Amino acid sequence: MSGMTPSAASLYDRVQRVIPAIEWPVFSDDIDAILRLKRERNAVILAHNYQTPEIFHCVADIVGDSLALARKAMEVEADVIVLAGVHFMAETAKLLNPSKTVLIPDMGAGCSLADSITSEDIRLLRQRYPGVPVVTYVNTSAAVKAESDICCTSGNAKAVVESLGVPRVLMLPDEYLAQNIAAQTDVEIIAWKGHCEVHERFTPQDIREMRAAHPGVTVLAHPECPPEVVAEADFAGSTAAMSDYVGREKPARVVLVTECSMSDNVAVDHPDVEFIRPCNLCPHMKLITLGNIRSALERNEHAVTIDPAVAVRARLAVERMLAV
Ligand code: SF4
């Protein structure tokens, strides 16, 4: 979206396969306003792969999974970052680029994984497992990251675990991600009981029914799904890895076992691939709308702040991950 200044009218072509024409007038006014506000406020919008297509394809400057968004947030030169995603992503952007104003359009956009563990839990785990390094998924609060040795995402978890050169790690808080990574490495992994409320709902039976209903379908699953679901899939990987898989392998029919908007966003670039769409909605991601992105920019709301003492330690854990 760089170069010529786009307008809502010129953007519709890109998303017409996933947004019906009848819905477009609902979006176009906000899109034009957001494009104008971004210029006026020297702002950029970072959007996660689970954002709806009118956000992802029409107003976002940078899109990706949480690893890509963290990396890109660090390089942003604009004054303002609007994070179209959930709160921990906005905190991560603020950690990595502290001089910028980082806005989250809805403070209620949380995450069941981030809510499943506190910094106090980690301190207790350290007493129970002395000397065992703590690897924390980025889907956690800054306070939890601050208690950790290193962060990881679903895209780099195996590499991070193996980079430590130890026989045993604590990997928190996603139990299923920990189990899925444990199946790929010799490092012993101690897990926590956190789950993503979107991915934990898929079952092996769902996958078998999709295969029966859509013969030949290629099944790609997110590693936050239970291991029995991953075992039924043809491929498991982060949202970035799923997107790359579709681009590389060009399956005739595919199902992305993850959040609903992911298929819409990937389908825009792959008109020849048939997307089967059983999916689960993330209620937190869906709190972000064009309307509240617009008012975030108009009112400078809601600015993310992090206690400086926490930020120093949390940043270290994220930077160690980025160095892997
Ligand atoms: S999809 Fe799952 S992990 Fe991602 S924000 Fe929603 S609840 Fe959290």
Side-chain angles (χ1 to χ4, degrees):
M1 290 181 58
S2 57
M4 227 173 60
T5 305
S7 65
S10 68
L11 291 166
Y12 185 62
D13 273 1
R14 179 144 174 74
V15 290
Q16 58 176 329
R17 292 184 57 247
V18 292
I19 300 180
I22 195 165
E23 285 179 19
W24 187 247
V26 176
F27 299 135
S28 56
D29 181 48
D30 282 334
I31 291 174
D32 280 329
I34 291 167
L35 298 176
R36 174 179 51 78
L37 284 159
K38 283 201 297 180
R39 291 192 298 276
E40 288 172 7
R41 299 224 38 214
N42 190 22
V44 294
I45 298 177
L46 273 58
H48 187 264
N49 290 333
Y50 296 159
Q51 292 295 300
T52 46
E54 69 280 6
I55 295 173
F56 189 92
H57 287 293
C58 299
V59 299
D61 301 278
I62 296 165
V63 295
D65 61 0
S66 35
L67 178 59
L69 294 183
R71 285 191 189 284
K72 297 285 183 180
M74 216 162 39
E75 296 163 7
V76 166
E77 288 179 1
D79 299 323
V80 178
I81 295 173
V82 179
L83 205 304
V86 296
H87 191 261
F88 76 79
M89 296 176 181
E91 269 193 341
T92 306
K94 182 71 181 172
L95 283 176
L96 294 172
N97 208 335
S99 68
K100 307 299 179 190
T101 298
V102 177
L103 303 176
I104 176 113
D106 188 319
M107 282 297 263
C111 169
S112 64
L113 279 170
D115 288 345
S116 72
I117 192 159
T118 65
S119 46
E120 179 59 19
D121 292 328
I122 302 210
R123 287 193 289 271
L124 292 172
L125 283 166
R126 284 203 189 269
Q127 284 172 19
R128 188 156 161 207
Y129 299 100
V132 178
V134 175
V135 179
T136 298
Y137 199 23
V138 284
N139 300 34
T140 46
S141 66
V144 164
K145 289 184 177 78
E147 295 295 330
S148 312
D149 294 291
I150 187 167
C151 287
C152 73
T153 69
S154 55
N156 64 16
K158 178 171 181 274
V160 165
V161 164
E162 293 182 345
S163 75
L164 299 172
V166 293
R168 199 154 82 127
V169 302
L170 282 147
M171 191 172 164
L172 319 166
D174 188 343
E175 181 180 29
Y176 297 145
L177 178 69
Q179 290 172 345
N180 285 320
I181 298 301
Q184 302 169 30
T185 178
D186 293 334
V187 179
E188 183 194 342
I189 294 182
I190 304 163
W192 183 250
K193 286 275 179 199
H195 297 140
C196 162
E197 66 187 271
V198 173
H199 293 98
E200 72 174 347
R201 278 183 282 153
F202 292 106
T203 66
Q205 182 64 18
D206 292 339
I207 312 286
R208 290 194 285 269
E209 284 171 7
M210 283 176 220
R211 289 198 192 277
H214 307 281
V217 71
T218 300
V219 179
L220 313 185
H222 194 281
E224 288 169 13
C225 293
E228 315 83 76
V229 171
V230 167
E232 294 279 339
D234 299 298
F235 173 84
S238 64
T239 54
M242 286 188 197
S243 181
D244 291 347
Y245 184 103
V246 173
R248 191 177 63 242
E249 305 290 331
K250 305 211 180 321
R253 297 177 132 179
V254 72
V255 58
L256 308 183
V257 182
T258 186
E259 212 274 343
C260 297
S261 292
M262 177 75 191
S263 293
D264 288 340
N265 292 331
V266 179
V268 164
D269 292 321
H270 300 286
D272 300 334
V273 177
E274 182 192 354
F275 285 79
I276 312 299
R277 299 177 192 235
C279 59
N280 290 327
L281 271 178
C282 173
H284 310 287
M285 289 281 180
K286 265 48 214 189
L287 287 177
I288 309 300
T289 63
L290 287 174
N292 59 24
I293 291 174
R294 179 178 177 168
S295 65
L297 284 164
E298 283 169 346
R299 300 179 194 175
N300 205 38
E301 284 176 352
H302 304 270
V304 173
T305 55
I306 305 169
D307 174 343
V310 169
V312 166
R313 296 164 63 216
R315 186 176 308 125
L316 212 58
V318 179
E319 284 173 350
R320 283 197 191 114
M321 167 187 84
L322 294 176
V324 169

